[in-house]
Amino acid sequence: MIRHYWNINLEEMMEAGVHFGHGTKKWNPRMAPYISAKRKGIHITNLTITARFLSEACNLVFDAASRGKKFLIVGTKNKAADLVASAAIKARCHYVNKKWLGGMLTNWSTTETRLQKFRDLRAEKKMGKLNRLSKGDAAIFKRKLSTLQTYLGGIKYMTGLPDIVIIVDQQEEYMVLQECVILGISTICLIDTNCNPDLADISIPANDDAIASIRFIITKLAYAICEGHSSYIKNG
């Protein structure tokens, strides 16, 4: 497989604040190899290492996408939600950006049932069912549909378990990581200085609080997936 050059620029990463970690009191000692300095009580991540792992992750998702593998991107905190949705839609990936429902992957049969219900309600709405309902019933119908859209909108076309899950903020999405580990699903995690770097298949040390930092990492991964998809279509 031809490797791409992902144009991961250290200067751009600095501008995006990728190197800023958490306060030194809030760190996980396992992150020591990825930290280059302390500044004003904050750990500074070694961007050369971040660039290496991000490049490795881009290679992995490019290869997987070029073989038609399926991706799920998860980031439910407010700062990440819009970025996750736009990157996933651009790269034609599934995504969860509002709330992770426990067992979404490990209890896939329940998720499938919920997705079927969601599809049925959407089809009923398209066929004009709302016009035939009383005001009260229409309100209940809309509320049900809106709730399902919030939680399942990003996975509405998912027909089976994903091959790779990309997680923004390991601490926030720990349940997602656990489900992937149980099922043997490959994971790529954005990890800050308070995380355990040994849990995901590829951990990318980076600031998981700044929007610019999250955008930088997610955009690179989404671009690599897009390139892989193009290669799959061309060769498929």
Side-chain angles (χ1 to χ4, degrees):
M1 182 65 65
I2 299 161
R3 295 291 185 198
H4 281 234
Y5 173 61
W6 303 116
N7 191 24
I8 296 163
N9 181 306
L10 295 190
E11 215 168 282
E12 278 180 35
M13 288 166 87
M14 295 225 17
E15 278 170 25
V18 175
H19 56 305
F20 291 123
H22 282 283
T24 50
K25 287 177 185 161
K26 268 183 159 184
W27 79 308
N28 186 323
R30 286 173 192 242
M31 286 298 291
Y34 309 98
I35 292 168
S36 61
K38 291 177 192 175
R39 203 176 299 157
K40 293 181 183 170
I42 287 173
H43 275 129
I44 303 298
T45 302
N46 185 329
L47 287 183
T48 311
I49 294 175
T50 301
R52 194 172 79 231
F53 283 114
L54 179 54
S55 183
E56 195 182 307
C58 286
N59 284 335
L60 175 78
V61 298
F62 172 78
D63 284 353
S66 65
R67 296 198 312 275
K69 300 291 185 188
K70 300 286 179 272
F71 299 86
L72 172 66
I73 305 178
V74 183
T76 61
K77 62 183 184 183
N78 287 341
K79 284 180 184 176
D82 290 345
L83 294 172
V84 164
S86 57
I89 291 163
K90 191 176 169 191
R92 299 198 307 284
C93 300
H94 308 294
Y95 66 94
V96 174
N97 72 333
K98 294 297 181 198
K99 185 185 178 188
W100 183 263
L101 303 173
M104 210 175 241
L105 297 178
T106 46
N107 199 350
W108 178 245
S109 58
T110 301
T111 303
E112 274 186 316
T113 306
R114 284 178 181 148
L115 285 169
Q116 191 53 57
K117 176 76 179 158
F118 184 30
R119 279 192 283 268
D120 291 346
L121 289 178
R122 283 170 69 227
E124 285 170 13
K125 187 186 176 189
K126 245 183 203 160
M127 288 173 344
K129 181 173 179 176
L130 276 172
N131 306 328
R132 299 192 298 275
L133 293 173
S134 69
K135 220 174 180 179
D137 287 345
I140 291 166
F141 184 97
K142 279 180 186 166
R143 203 160 45 242
K144 258 188 209 163
L145 191 57
S146 168
T147 303
L148 288 167
Q149 175 62 41
T150 300
Y151 297 134
L152 304 178
I155 62 164
K156 60 178 175 273
Y157 301 119
M158 203 153 113
T159 53
L161 291 173
D163 300 294
I164 294 176
V165 176
I166 297 167
I167 299 169
V168 177
D169 191 339
Q170 180 184 289
Q171 295 290 81
E172 189 83 17
E173 316 297 351
Y174 192 68
M175 197 192 293
V176 184
L177 187 56
Q178 281 182 312
E179 291 193 32
C180 292
V181 170
I182 289 165
L183 295 166
I185 295 169
S186 298
T187 50
I188 294 168
C189 245
L190 199 157
I191 57 161
D192 213 321
T193 53
N194 61 337
C195 296
N196 180 349
D198 305 328
L199 301 179
D201 292 290
I202 297 181
S203 290
I204 304 167
N207 181 345
D208 63 14
D209 288 319
I211 289 175
S213 172
I214 297 168
R215 184 187 290 115
F216 184 90
I217 304 290
I218 288 291
T219 303
K220 292 292 179 195
L221 292 170
Y223 173 72
I225 293 169
C226 287
E227 290 293 290
H229 282 322
S230 302
S231 159
Y232 177 63
I233 293 160
K234 227 183 312 185
N235 302 325

